[in-house]
Amino acid sequence: MDTIKADLLMSLPEITVLSMAMVVLIIDLFLNKKNRLVIYGLAQVTLFVAAYLVWGSHTTTVDYAYSGMFVDDPLSEILKLATLIGAAIMLVYTRHYMMLRNMFSGEYYALLLFATAGMMVMISGHNMLSIYVGLELLSLCIYAMVALDRDNPKATEAAMKYFVLGALASGMLLYGMSMIYGVTGSLDISVIAQRLHDSALINPDFVKNPVLVLGLVFIVAGLAFKFGAVPFHMWAPDVYQGSPTGITILIGSIPKFAGFAMAIRLLTTGLDALVLDWQNMLLIMAVLSIAIGNITAIAQTNLKRMLAYSTISHIGFLLLGLMSGTLNGYASSMVYVMAYVLMALAGFGVILMLSRKGFEAEQLDDLKGLNQRSPWAAFLMLITMFSMAGVPPTLGFYAKFSVLQAALQAGFVWIVVFAVLMAVVGAFYYLRIIKLMYFDEPLDDAVIDAPLDMRMVLSLNALALLGIGLMPQGLLELCGRTIYASLH
Amino acid sequence: MLANYTLSLSIWVPILAGLLVLAAGNDSRASMTRWLALLGGIAGFLVTLPLYFQFNIAEGGFQFQEATYWIPAFQIYYHLGVDGISVPLILLTSFTTVICIIASWEVIKKSIAQYMACFLIMSGLMIGVFSALDSILYYVFWESMLIPMFLVIGKWGGQNRVYATIKFFLYTLLGSLLMLVAFIYLFHKTGSFNIVKYHDVVLPLNVQIFIFIAFFMAFAVKIPMWPLHTWLPDAHVEAPTAGSVVLAAVMLKLGGYSFLRFAMPIAPDASHYLSGYMIALSLIAILYIALVALVQKDMKKLIAYSSISHMGFVTLGFFLFSQLGLEGAIVQMISHGFISAAMFLCVGVLYDRMHSREIASYGGVANTMPVFAAFAVFFAMANSGLPGTSGFVGEFMVILASVEYDFWVAFIAATTLIFGASYTLWMVKRVFYGEAANKKVAALKDLTRREFAMLGVLAALTLGIGVYPQVITGMTQATSERFLNHMTTSKLPSVGM
């Protein structure tokens, strides 16, 4: 009886989010259109309560619940906290946008809460099954959200494409998991790691078992798809472009936390014995992602599409840290994912702010002369773009810096030189956005009106990129400590 | 020892002043914005003065040191300190900023606050580069500095400004990122980002060569050395006058300074090993770029090429590894800072009146602007190395040092005295002498008091250093002795280790 109680307590944040999602669904039935703000408030409160619960149960130890299906370690706590805060920020940014487009509905908030619960389960999943269930919960919600604007053929097409490819990737992931299960006889991450380790001690050639390696290939492929790493990236530009911007901001930001957690659990914990195999796979994907992401982004004229390619290149850098195969490398990846999500939220936040009724800020040209229309918005975007380009004194620099030092420490000198050269290529298209905002004349002079709360949160978000960039110690230490405490 | 915050003040006073101008300034309150910026600039200059007066010239090491933990996760410190090489350059920077603000007084009419703030912030960041003793701190200053310059050229520049500013940014970024890789590599070797520790790390020759090349990419772009110079003429031509002044007077010096701070002391054996190539590149810059300058039709482009040619003397002086050459190179850096700034200001004076930089659209300016013509001819003489001006001192010292090294090197370097004189004086002849070329020239008005003041101060400094170069060499002597001493000590791992 006590263990059940302990289990329930440990997963209280997840339970809260999940039950509130259902409450939101039900309450929505009894509200007329005018009172929808209640739903918004409810969703925000839920996120904050869940964040408070995560914060309150903060430990430095690694605990398991539900017979090892669920883990509560510093890594999961920090990532969940980041996810919840990210989701709350995102809700602030999208409220106005959704209202103007008739998408301010109960479904949006219920789906978002379900997706958040999915991400939290993924982050805490310590069994291939629970990870998979979390992933599917997240994915299914996002497919539906992309299609939320159902009369928009582009959004429908994007949803369809995302769904078909996403289902395929989930299938691959599941297939890979089944192979690993076949070899090790368990779905539990720790047990898999232990068995592989023991078998490798008896027979060093055990890790070369073709079924095991094939299973790894499928798992890596599934992961790469969810991340959007080259060569599994083709869905990203279309989905980013086709989805309403209020959904793109979701796809492009917080799920990367969950993806990062999944990679840590599956690869670095569970399949640690196969590090030499997945290191090479990640290396190739990282190099390709950085190259193709940065080079293709130059040719884009659509802002959201360009940011999709920019995401791909950021994922490449993130994989570069994971690929190092050291705790230092994982910590640097965590810094990168934190920085990336903060930058993505700010970038899409500005785009959302520029959109108004009947007008989507989608093309690069829509940013023209922003400095004359609104110097403050232009300044926030300026910080975000320099941060994405990795120019100090912004956070993006320290993200790139920590990943590069980890890869260099692991001995990948030429890969680092290559990544650095590609970062210069990447700087070009970020600079082009600054050029459009500061050096060109505006095409229209519509007043930028955004609610006060959005302006404030967006300002804080973008200024945080500068502030943490000036004093990065807190974030670097947090990530380092978390990784060491969770994986040591 | 009592804590001394002179360096922190030198960095942060202009930056904070810049932020204040940004917050308080506005185009509708243009005059207040300008005065506020000028006050900020002067305050920034005043706080750097103690560096000169309290500097102990007998001491070759780092002074005014400050160190606090900044990012313990990577052993990164907020570590500042200056030696005899950096102090003159810091003063040059804060002084140039004041000149820049005065130079832009009436010219800039849109977004004045943003413009002035860019220069003030840039000034603080450049001083940061000259005084950082932690390589990541240095790197942060070095890269952040690009942001305001990028905006200055791109927003207030000429016709083709976007091309020029993006080229400028990407060229510099490419080099700097390779330098960052070198820093991280050295971090894993030494466990620290401390520059002074880097100076003592033992490295095999092949590693030294790689590190030297990584640094070379960063600094050679900045100086710039042939063949990495192509961004400079574009950036200069498109930048507003004050932007060109900062670029020529200070930014190019960052490259030279960094060679002395990083590339050479960290990889001394590679520096000796590759010195032949470096001298060759310097000579190409001196000779070939001087010839390129000769055929320019645009005044700013001509001065830009002349800058590259003069900076060739700086790198030549460095890689001769002699006291005379090194001090000559440092004097040349400072003197070029004043002279090139003055030359660009002169072009600015004409451009503000005529809106043309083409040599062909002028002629006979001396008839209508006699006072200005006197200044311009003086600076042109200084630029071509007339004895008695600072331009002569540096070049002469480097040429003397190169005679000791090799006669033919000295011979080629000395040709600049001919070519430098020909392109500068030929331009002066075409622009200033003869009959007034057209009605516009005939209607020109002579210098305003503001313009007279800024050119007058620069002329006095050029003359002062020319007559009494000990102002600079006195400061740098102990440091350069120490530096050369360090350069003769091999850092190769000893056999059997």
Side-chain angles (χ1 to χ4, degrees):
Chain A
M1 205 48 207
D2 271 356
T3 51
I4 294 181
K5 197 176 160 195
D7 286 358
L8 288 176
L9 263 181
M10 211 178 275
S11 57
L12 199 55
E14 282 82 357
I15 296 173
T16 315
V17 174
L18 209 53
S19 23
M20 284 307 287
M22 299 186 201
V23 171
V24 163
L25 263 186
I26 295 168
I27 291 187
D28 182 48
L29 294 176
F30 300 99
L31 285 176
N32 61 14
K33 228 179 169 179
K34 280 179 198 152
N35 297 332
R36 285 268 165 75
L37 267 180
V38 174
I39 299 283
Y40 168 79
L42 217 54
Q44 285 287 29
V45 169
T46 307
L47 293 173
F48 276 103
V49 170
Y52 176 75
L53 290 172
V54 173
W55 179 255
S57 66
H58 185 68
T59 55
T60 50
T61 53
V62 182
D63 303 303
Y64 298 95
Y66 303 107
S67 331
M69 296 280 271
F70 186 95
V71 64
D72 179 39
D73 54 2
L75 178 67
S76 68
E77 282 157 6
I78 297 297
L79 288 178
K80 273 188 234 175
L81 208 56
T83 305
L84 290 166
I85 295 172
I89 294 176
M90 201 203 86
L91 282 188
V92 174
Y93 292 171
T94 54
R95 192 188 71 233
H96 192 59
Y97 179 92
M98 291 309 209
M99 271 181 183
L100 292 179
R101 278 162 192 72
N102 237 350
M103 286 191 280
F104 190 66
S105 55
E107 297 96 280
Y108 173 65
Y109 292 98
L111 284 172
L112 182 93
L113 288 181
F114 277 123
T116 310
M119 287 186 262
M120 292 166 80
V121 171
M122 267 170 93
I123 289 170
S124 266
H126 198 252
N127 183 302
M128 289 198 172
L129 266 188
S130 51
I131 293 177
Y132 181 76
V133 169
L135 177 64
E136 281 307 278
L137 183 55
L138 165 69
S139 306
L140 286 170
C141 291
I142 293 188
Y143 304 147
M145 286 166 97
V146 172
L148 209 56
D149 189 9
R150 61 179 173 202
D151 297 330
N152 179 351
K154 260 192 176 169
T156 322
E157 186 200 323
M160 200 60 203
K161 196 175 252 172
Y162 195 19
F163 175 68
V164 171
L165 289 173
L168 187 71
S170 299
M172 285 202 281
L173 191 66
L174 205 54
Y175 195 38
M177 287 174 174
S178 72
M179 287 186 186
I180 303 288
Y181 177 69
V183 176
T184 61
S186 173
L187 285 169
D188 187 289
I189 301 286
S190 308
V191 177
I192 292 173
Q194 191 61 43
R195 293 213 177 133
L196 287 178
H197 184 72
D198 292 347
S199 310
L201 276 186
I202 300 164
N203 173 14
D205 280 345
F206 180 77
V207 292
K208 290 185 185 150
N209 183 338
V211 182
L212 197 61
V213 177
L214 206 58
L216 174 73
V217 171
F218 277 112
I219 286 188
V220 169
L223 261 177
F225 178 88
K226 295 297 174 191
F227 265 133
V230 178
F232 304 97
H233 66 291
M234 299 306 269
W235 61 273
D238 291 342
V239 173
Y240 272 55
Q241 187 185 0
S243 315
T245 314
I247 308 297
T248 312
I249 186 175
L250 169 65
I251 302 172
S253 60
I254 40 181
K256 308 293 179 219
F257 288 130
F260 172 74
M262 184 162 82
I264 290 281
R265 306 285 184 220
L266 289 177
L267 296 182
T268 68
T269 316
L271 300 174
D272 191 31
L274 300 175
V275 56
L276 289 178
D277 291 303
W278 58 253
Q279 196 171 38
N280 279 331
M281 297 180 203
L282 293 192
L283 175 66
I284 292 169
M285 292 196 306
V287 167
L288 287 178
S289 300
I290 294 174
I292 292 181
N294 277 327
I295 292 172
T296 323
I298 292 178
Q300 305 307 317
T301 53
N302 182 297
L303 188 52
K304 281 154 77 181
R305 220 177 157 76
M306 194 207 88
L307 283 177
Y309 282 106
S310 135
T311 305
I312 293 170
S313 75
H314 285 300
I315 292 300
F317 275 98
L318 190 138
L319 293 179
L320 212 54
L322 281 177
M323 175 274 304
S324 311
T326 56
L327 288 183
N328 180 7
Y330 307 148
S332 73
S333 268
M334 190 169 165
V335 173
Y336 206 96
V337 78
M338 295 274 187
Y340 166 74
V341 172
L342 213 51
M343 296 188 288
L345 282 174
F348 283 110
V350 173
I351 300 178
L352 284 169
M353 188 156 90
L354 296 183
S355 304
R356 50 179 188 272
K357 195 167 177 66
F359 175 78
E360 296 283 337
E362 279 205 333
Q363 299 300 319
L364 285 175
D365 286 349
D366 295 336
L367 287 171
K368 271 191 176 172
L370 185 60
N371 183 41
Q372 291 177 32
R373 292 168 61 199
S374 162
W376 186 241
F379 178 67
L380 297 181
M381 194 65 169
L382 173 93
I383 297 177
T384 312
M385 286 301 119
F386 275 123
S387 182
M388 285 197 177
V391 177
T394 56
L395 176 56
F397 166 67
Y398 293 97
K400 284 212 167 63
F401 169 77
S402 51
V403 165
L404 292 179
Q405 64 83 19
L408 207 57
Q409 192 188 28
F412 296 95
V413 179
W414 294 109
I415 303 296
V416 168
V417 171
F418 174 80
V420 151
L421 293 180
M422 281 299 143
V424 178
V425 176
F428 172 73
Y429 59 88
Y430 298 122
L431 288 183
R432 193 171 54 186
I433 291 198
I434 295 167
K435 173 228 156 200
L436 290 171
M437 294 191 303
Y438 278 83
F439 309 157
D440 287 353
E441 295 298 318
L443 291 180
D444 68 292
D445 48 3
V447 183
I448 294 161
D449 77 309
L452 183 68
D453 57 342
M454 174 173 183
R455 281 163 190 265
M456 282 170 58
V457 175
L458 189 57
S459 305
L460 278 181
N461 182 347
L463 288 180
L465 295 175
L466 192 61
I468 304 178
L470 290 173
M471 288 287 153
Q473 169 62 14
L475 181 68
L476 295 174
E477 200 202 310
L478 175 77
C479 293
R481 217 179 37 210
T482 308
I483 290 287
Y484 282 90
S486 306
L487 300 182
H488 211 61
Chain B
M1 200 180 79
L2 204 69
N4 189 328
Y5 294 108
T6 315
L7 279 175
S8 277
L9 282 176
S10 310
I11 295 172
W12 295 105
V13 165
I15 292 182
L16 291 177
L19 294 177
L20 183 71
V21 170
L22 206 53
N26 196 318
D27 280 4
S28 54
R29 283 171 290 175
S31 158
M32 187 275 271
T33 311
R34 292 184 183 120
W35 281 106
L36 197 61
L38 183 60
L39 277 179
I42 290 175
F45 177 61
L46 290 181
V47 290
T48 55
L49 283 180
L51 290 178
Y52 186 82
F53 293 111
Q54 293 171 15
F55 188 83
N56 178 2
I57 55 168
E59 161 90 39
F62 291 102
Q63 306 182 23
F64 297 100
Q65 289 206 36
E66 292 171 38
T68 23
Y69 247 138
W70 178 32
I71 312 173
F74 288 116
Q75 297 292 315
I76 298 171
Y77 286 83
Y78 176 77
H79 187 177
L80 303 172
V82 283
D83 60 8
I85 301 173
S86 28
V87 170
L89 291 166
I90 291 178
L91 286 166
L92 176 69
T93 310
S94 58
F95 171 75
T96 309
T97 307
V98 180
I99 294 282
C100 283
I101 292 171
I102 299 177
S104 326
W105 202 257
E106 283 139 21
V107 188
I108 300 299
K109 293 199 169 66
K110 62 166 189 180
S111 312
I112 303 166
Q114 287 185 1
Y115 181 87
M116 296 292 182
C118 277
F119 279 96
L120 286 168
I121 293 173
M122 198 149 53
S123 159
L125 295 174
M126 289 187 297
I127 293 174
V129 172
F130 286 129
S131 50
L133 285 185
D134 184 285
S135 48
I136 294 301
L137 182 68
Y138 164 89
Y139 186 83
V140 167
F141 282 130
W142 168 277
E143 285 269 283
S144 337
M145 177 182 78
L146 294 179
I147 299 176
M149 198 59 187
F150 175 78
L151 294 176
V152 165
I153 300 179
K155 187 151 183 211
W156 292 275
Q159 281 287 311
N160 202 11
R161 59 187 197 271
V162 172
Y163 167 77
T165 196
I166 290 185
K167 189 173 179 182
F168 157 77
F169 196 99
L170 292 183
Y171 253 76
T172 321
L173 186 67
L174 172 70
S176 340
L177 281 167
L178 290 173
M179 169 171 78
L180 179 67
V181 176
F183 283 154
I184 299 174
Y185 179 87
L186 289 167
F187 167 63
H188 287 306
K189 274 262 179 265
T190 62
S192 151
F193 280 110
N194 188 328
I195 295 173
V196 185
K197 271 196 193 151
Y198 284 180
H199 288 183
D200 301 324
V201 62
V202 171
L203 295 167
L205 185 62
N206 58 341
V207 174
Q208 280 198 26
I209 289 178
F210 275 117
I211 288 183
F212 186 86
I213 290 174
F215 283 134
F216 172 79
M217 288 299 287
F219 307 146
V221 165
K222 207 77 171 185
I223 284 185
M225 292 175 79
W226 184 88
L228 300 170
H229 66 281
T230 62
W231 63 270
L232 184 87
D234 286 315
H236 266 315
V237 169
E238 300 304 332
T241 304
S244 298
V245 170
V246 171
L247 258 178
V250 189
M251 282 219 176
L252 307 189
K253 312 305 177 297
L254 294 168
Y257 162 82
S258 304
F259 259 114
L260 297 183
R261 186 65 79 232
F262 294 96
M264 299 173 73
I266 292 174
D269 301 286
S271 306
H272 283 286
Y273 183 78
L274 297 171
S275 65
Y277 297 98
M278 300 301 291
I279 289 174
L281 289 180
S282 310
L283 290 178
I284 292 176
I286 292 174
L287 184 61
Y288 165 72
I289 299 292
L291 291 173
V292 174
L294 204 53
V295 298
Q296 295 307 315
K297 297 192 175 74
D298 181 313
M299 287 190 280
K300 266 190 154 179
K301 233 177 185 152
L302 189 148
I303 303 169
Y305 279 113
S306 123
S307 284
I308 304 171
S309 174
H310 282 109
M311 289 305 284
F313 271 95
V314 175
T315 43
L316 177 62
F318 288 168
F319 285 92
L320 295 171
F321 300 108
S322 70
Q323 178 98 19
L324 193 61
L326 183 65
E327 286 183 5
I330 296 168
V331 173
Q332 171 78 351
M333 283 208 276
I334 303 291
S335 121
H336 177 259
F338 293 133
I339 297 174
S340 65
M343 296 285 281
F344 278 115
L345 288 173
C346 287
V347 178
V349 166
L350 284 177
Y351 184 80
D352 293 343
R353 289 166 170 73
M354 301 266 293
H355 296 283
S356 166
R357 294 181 305 256
E358 293 289 314
I359 297 177
S361 42
Y362 294 92
V365 173
N367 299 322
T368 44
M369 301 177 74
V371 182
F372 173 58
F375 274 119
V377 171
F378 171 76
F379 288 123
M381 293 291 188
N383 195 41
S384 41
L386 184 78
T389 62
S390 62
F392 172 74
V393 182
E395 282 176 22
F396 189 67
M397 285 167 83
V398 173
I399 292 173
L400 272 188
S402 51
V403 175
E404 284 168 27
Y405 177 82
D406 184 287
F407 170 74
W408 289 107
V409 170
F411 179 79
I412 297 176
T415 56
T416 190
L417 296 173
I418 301 166
F419 290 117
S422 13
Y423 61 72
T424 328
L425 296 180
W426 193 33
M427 176 182 83
V428 166
K429 177 200 162 264
R430 283 178 292 169
V431 171
F432 288 95
Y433 295 129
E435 291 299 308
N438 48 43
K439 275 184 194 155
K440 274 173 132 184
V441 173
L444 283 176
K445 291 224 161 37
D446 212 337
L447 294 180
T448 61
R449 265 191 305 181
R450 172 180 67 86
E451 290 162 339
F452 184 85
M454 78 198 177
L455 290 178
V457 173
L458 283 171
L461 282 167
T462 309
L463 211 53
I465 296 175
V467 177
Y468 191 71
Q470 280 86 339
V471 189
I472 298 169
T473 50
M475 291 222 87
T476 55
Q477 196 174 17
T479 309
S480 48
E481 270 167 17
R482 205 176 119 106
F483 177 84
L484 287 170
N485 215 2
H486 177 86
M487 289 303 291
T488 51
T489 336
S490 169
K491 280 170 59 175
L492 297 178
S494 50
V495 186
M497 240 173 83

